[in-house]
Amino acid sequence: MILVIILEILIGALVGWLAGKLMKSKNKRFWINCLVGIVGSFLGGWIGGLLGIGGGILGFVMSIVGTCLLIVILRLILGKKF
């Protein structure tokens, strides 16, 4: 159980970093990118579940898509700062 949580946090951190690079995020703080990646991964998983997509590489891609979507939402709320 603990190992799964740690793995999800690490994958969320990786996804946050990748999405930040793809979206050319101005945020360079590691912990913020981790948090955005974790929340975005859950968002992408939820969207993937609605579409019937999940697991494996498609699940990872959906995590990146969800994180990119979250970055867009944060930019709408916070402006160009993010």
Side-chain angles (χ1 to χ4, degrees), residues 19-70:
K21 294 295 181 188
L22 287 172
M23 299 293 292
K24 294 180 177 48
S25 177
K26 299 199 184 320
N27 180 27
K28 302 296 183 202
R29 294 184 205 126
F30 176 74
W31 293 109
I32 299 296
N33 286 337
C34 289
L35 184 63
V36 169
I38 292 166
V39 174
S41 292
F42 282 113
L43 178 63
W46 179 71
I47 293 170
L50 291 176
L51 298 174
I53 301 170
I57 193 72
L58 287 177
F60 187 74
V61 170
M62 286 306 296
S63 294
I64 294 173
V65 169
T67 304
C68 289
L69 180 62
L70 182 60

